[in-house]
Amino acid sequence: MIRHLLTIALMMPLFAWGQNEGLYHLAEARKAYTANELDLALAHADSAVSLDNKLPGALKLRGDIKQRQANYHGALVDYTKAERVDDTDARLYVSRSAIYITEGRLKEATRDASKAIKLAPEDPDGYYNRACAHYLGQNNEGALRDLERAVALNDRNGEALFLRGVVKGELYKEEDGLADIDAALALDPNIAGAAMSAAVLLFELERYEEAITRFTALIKADSPDALEAHYYRADCYYNLGNKVRACADWTIVAETGDKDAQFIVGNYCMTDEEKIPKKPVRSRKTVIEF
């Protein structure tokens, strides 16, 4: 009995050392993750998990690091292990739902976002992620409900304001949608796709001169949306009766292999037609990025 107690006593400092060392590596991993030093963060997270694979937050953090490194499979493995350790962490489900959205696994994304909302109903991120899943699943009404809640909880969330504006636009509430997108741009002018979406809504509202100004700004800035801006600017000129300028833009787009623009150039620009026969309907591009 005495020998057994002595063995336990000798092991306790070793256990305490391992636990303390794990906490040290976890703290260093968080620090490096915040600084976006992902390789260093992952090295510390690996050390923390190997020292104590049930250390609260370690597996979740390692999953977050892997997610930011676009190692989605590795992140999902860590999130699943973390769930076995603690299934009450709402942020775990927020993080995992983001991967499911990126991979187009909308049923799983909705399930995880709903779990996050149930665990932390005052966290806007759960509502935003579920809204993204609804939007990608073409459930705009469901997306709008969740975005209303997300914005109510945090009206400084530019991404949520932007998506709400896009959804409102698709629900034919273009004026309200434009106001939301402009509010999002005021918070963060660099939200991917936001400036283009605002210009498209101006086009759909038939405010062609204003739309042309915004499309031109995107083209001059060599935006990733510049080619699409050429297409829509052409459509603005077309609706204003300026065939020369419209066809100049459509020709630029057609030369890249765009089928809609090629059809218009062949059947309108290179003819005496005053109107485009069977004018192509431009499909909208998705606006969600994680």
Side-chain angles (χ1 to χ4, degrees):
M1 181 66 175
I2 293 173
R3 184 176 179 181
H4 179 64
L5 290 173
L6 179 60
T7 302
I8 293 174
L10 289 170
M11 288 178 65
M12 282 181 65
L14 184 62
F15 172 77
W17 175 85
Q19 193 175 46
N20 289 339
E21 188 74 2
L23 289 170
Y24 163 77
H25 283 293
L26 180 58
E28 290 299 304
R30 285 182 175 139
K31 194 187 306 179
Y33 178 73
T34 302
N36 206 34
E37 297 174 355
L38 299 183
D39 289 339
L40 178 60
L42 184 60
H44 280 296
D46 282 340
S47 296
V49 170
S50 26
L51 284 162
D52 183 356
N53 62 9
K54 293 187 178 180
L55 188 64
L59 283 162
K60 160 68 166 60
L61 177 60
R62 191 169 72 172
D64 289 344
I65 296 164
K66 290 177 181 178
Q67 179 170 181
R68 195 177 285 182
Q69 292 176 322
N71 176 5
Y72 300 129
H73 174 73
L76 286 174
V77 169
D78 276 340
Y79 290 148
T80 300
K81 290 178 180 177
E83 186 178 21
R84 295 190 194 115
V85 175
D86 179 9
D87 63 359
T88 65
D89 182 356
R91 297 302 304 181
L92 167 64
Y93 297 110
V94 169
S95 295
R96 194 167 67 182
S97 67
I99 292 184
Y100 286 141
I101 291 165
T102 300
E103 294 186 338
R105 297 166 62 179
L106 304 183
K107 186 180 291 187
E108 292 99 324
T110 303
R111 179 200 65 204
D112 270 3
S114 296
K115 285 182 180 179
I117 290 166
K118 185 175 181 180
L119 289 165
E122 300 307 309
D123 184 347
D125 291 345
Y127 296 97
Y128 174 73
N129 282 13
R130 192 167 69 180
C132 290
H134 285 322
Y135 172 73
L136 290 172
Q138 300 182 334
N139 177 7
N140 282 329
E141 289 80 6
L144 184 57
R145 282 193 299 272
D146 279 335
L147 288 164
E148 296 284 14
R149 184 63 178 150
V151 172
L153 288 166
N154 178 13
D155 62 3
R156 305 288 296 174
N157 185 336
E159 297 286 350
L161 276 167
F162 168 43
L163 185 57
R164 190 174 72 171
V166 171
V167 170
K168 285 179 178 177
E170 294 194 6
L171 291 171
Y172 304 103
K173 302 174 183 177
E174 289 91 350
E175 292 283 3
D176 286 348
L178 180 60
D180 270 350
I181 295 173
D182 279 340
L185 284 166
L187 290 169
D188 181 1
N190 298 314
I191 296 175
M196 182 67 190
S197 295
V200 170
L201 283 179
L202 284 167
F203 165 77
E204 291 177 348
L205 287 164
E206 300 182 6
R207 290 160 61 177
Y208 299 124
E209 297 287 1
E210 294 172 76
I212 286 170
T213 299
R214 298 221 193 183
F215 289 130
T216 301
L218 286 161
I219 292 164
K220 285 182 176 179
D222 197 23
S223 159
D225 297 308
L227 197 63
E228 197 73 358
H230 272 293
Y231 187 97
Y232 274 100
R233 188 173 71 173
D235 221 340
C236 290
Y237 284 130
Y238 172 74
N239 283 284
L240 291 170
N242 191 333
K243 182 174 181 176
V244 172
R245 287 197 169 185
C247 286
D249 272 334
W250 270 320
T251 299
I252 290 170
V253 183
E255 287 172 350
T256 68
D258 185 284
K259 298 300 182 186
D260 291 344
Q262 288 177 343
F263 175 88
I264 293 169
V265 169
N267 293 277
Y268 170 66
C269 296
M270 298 176 69
T271 72
D272 294 329
E273 295 282 351
E274 294 183 4
K275 296 291 181 183
I276 302 168
K278 296 181 180 177
K279 186 172 181 287
V281 177
R282 196 70 167 172
S283 59
R284 292 188 180 184
K285 306 289 191 294
T286 183
V287 298
I288 294 176
E289 288 189 4
F290 272 87

